[in-house]
Amino acid sequence: MNGVVLVDKPKGITSFDVVHRIRRLYHMKQVGHTGTLDPMATGLLPICIGKATKIADYVADNRKAYVAHAIRGIRTDTFDISGVIFANSAKEIPKNLEPVLDHFRGEQLQLPPMHSALKYKGRKLYEYARRGICVPRKERPITVSCLKLLDHDDNGISLEAEVSSGTYIRTLIDDIGVASGCYFTMDSLRRISVGSETIANAHTLAEIESMSNDERQSILIPMDRLLDHIPEICLPLHRKKPMLNGMSSRVHFQIEEAAMYRIYTGGDFIGIGTVTGSGEEKELHIKKVLY
């Protein structure tokens, strides 16, 4: 059994909790998620089953969209409502927040929060943070391709953001709060899309638990649907066996320049590969077999 189930993660459990429950429901050991959602967050969590676990890292590189709400006037050490307040502001939310938001649209650098699972010298940052230790962190390039103010009142704001992988929404919100002078701390977060897949296609855990085994299998989507951000190369059927055996294939036709490609032979998705050479000397090599 290979494929991806789109789960609408509830609040209050970890992404690994979801993996554990899907593993039990599908009677499969090979199960993994494609990008952590914190316990306080809800929304779209693609869960990979079987060979689809091999694509998790590629899906995690895809763009994601969120709707978040933030309260005005405080900053916390975690940049969300679960943390300890360390700063306050009595300043009101600017009547026109667009100039501030515009500053955070596009490509930029973001400093990861101390309360995160990134590692420093083999230990997760939040382990240091819980001991009151702040360690050096490097800013990372991110892209905020869409940032909309959905609603606001005297007490807070609601935002929609589409961002590149590795972007911390709570950090983005904290930075917006500092730039506006009134401080914002995230108190809710919902992921609404991963690539072209949206929350509208997801199922709650309760729904999945109530299904028969056949129904659970019917909601699995093909793994390549979550890889549509990677360009494809289609080869004739007779190249399937050689490619699966590790042989390269000459690419005589024009292709989009990219770091990696989805490989199809005779219409079947067989894996992810790279291209070397140029002009008439281009060679396609399979790096991840998924057939």
Side-chain angles (χ1 to χ4, degrees):
M1 187 189 307
N2 307 300
V4 180
V5 57
L6 303 178
V7 177
D8 185 349
K9 187 189 96 63
K11 186 176 181 180
I13 65 173
T14 68
S15 296
F16 184 76
D17 290 333
V18 176
V19 168
H20 179 74
R21 289 169 70 171
I22 293 296
R23 186 177 288 149
R24 176 177 54 82
L25 290 168
Y26 280 85
H27 310 290
M28 292 285 291
K29 290 184 178 180
Q30 276 186 296
V31 177
H33 62 72
T34 59
T36 302
L37 280 176
D38 290 338
M40 74 169 289
T42 68
L44 184 58
L45 183 65
I47 301 294
C48 298
I49 297 174
K51 289 183 180 179
T53 54
K54 296 180 180 181
I55 71 164
D57 290 342
Y58 300 99
V59 176
D61 288 339
N62 207 351
R63 67 191 187 279
K64 301 176 176 70
Y66 300 84
V67 170
H69 184 269
I71 58 175
R72 178 191 65 84
I74 61 171
R75 297 183 72 194
T76 73
D77 57 353
T78 60
F79 299 159
D80 62 33
I81 201 65
S82 70
V84 176
I85 297 172
F86 69 87
N88 294 271
S89 173
K91 185 177 179 180
E92 294 183 354
I93 299 172
K95 291 184 179 179
N96 182 11
L97 202 57
E98 273 301 305
V100 177
L101 296 181
D102 194 52
H103 176 75
F104 291 96
R105 295 181 177 115
E107 297 180 356
Q108 59 201 272
L109 295 174
Q110 184 184 72
L111 185 67
M114 276 299 303
H115 286 267
S116 67
L118 296 177
K119 290 186 177 181
Y120 176 76
K121 293 186 176 180
R123 301 184 64 178
K124 294 178 179 178
L125 292 182
Y126 65 72
E127 296 181 85
Y128 292 100
R130 288 171 181 172
R131 296 168 57 191
I133 301 172
C134 185
V135 300
R137 290 154 288 154
K138 291 183 179 180
E139 291 184 320
R140 305 193 303 176
I142 65 166
T143 301
V144 179
S145 52
C146 176
L147 185 61
K148 296 179 184 176
L149 179 64
L150 300 178
D151 194 15
H152 74 283
D153 56 28
D154 292 341
N155 299 315
I157 60 172
S158 294
L159 294 170
E160 180 179 334
E162 184 177 78
V163 299
S164 60
S165 175
T167 303
Y168 287 89
I169 301 297
R170 52 196 162 100
T171 298
L172 178 63
I173 287 174
D174 179 73
D175 289 340
I176 291 170
V178 171
S180 65
C182 59
Y183 296 165
F184 292 123
T185 290
M186 190 178 78
D187 66 346
S188 71
L189 179 68
R190 182 163 177 77
R191 185 190 284 163
I192 58 174
S193 71
V194 175
S196 58
E197 295 296 331
T198 70
I199 191 64
N201 299 322
H203 304 269
T204 66
L205 286 171
E207 289 171 342
I208 299 170
E209 287 172 343
S210 68
M211 294 177 183
S212 66
N213 288 334
D214 287 344
E215 288 172 328
R216 290 189 194 111
Q217 290 193 41
S218 72
I219 65 171
L220 289 177
I221 65 173
M223 62 184 88
D224 56 328
R225 262 182 50 181
L226 284 169
L227 300 174
D228 60 0
H229 59 294
I230 301 174
E232 66 179 25
I233 292 179
C234 300
L235 301 174
L237 181 60
H238 73 267
R239 294 306 303 164
K240 177 185 286 186
K241 187 173 181 180
M243 290 295 292
L244 292 176
N245 287 334
M247 294 180 63
S248 64
S249 285
R250 184 67 60 87
V251 180
H252 298 286
F253 45 89
Q254 188 172 1
I255 59 172
E256 178 182 342
E257 189 170 330
M260 64 190 73
Y261 300 85
R262 287 175 289 142
I263 304 173
Y264 295 82
T265 55
D268 293 327
F269 175 56
I270 66 167
I272 295 172
T274 58
V275 169
T276 59
S278 60
E280 293 296 317
E281 303 298 322
K282 295 191 294 291
E283 293 281 339
L284 176 63
H285 309 266
I286 194 164
K287 297 296 183 183
K288 183 81 68 173
V289 174
L290 296 166
Y291 185 74

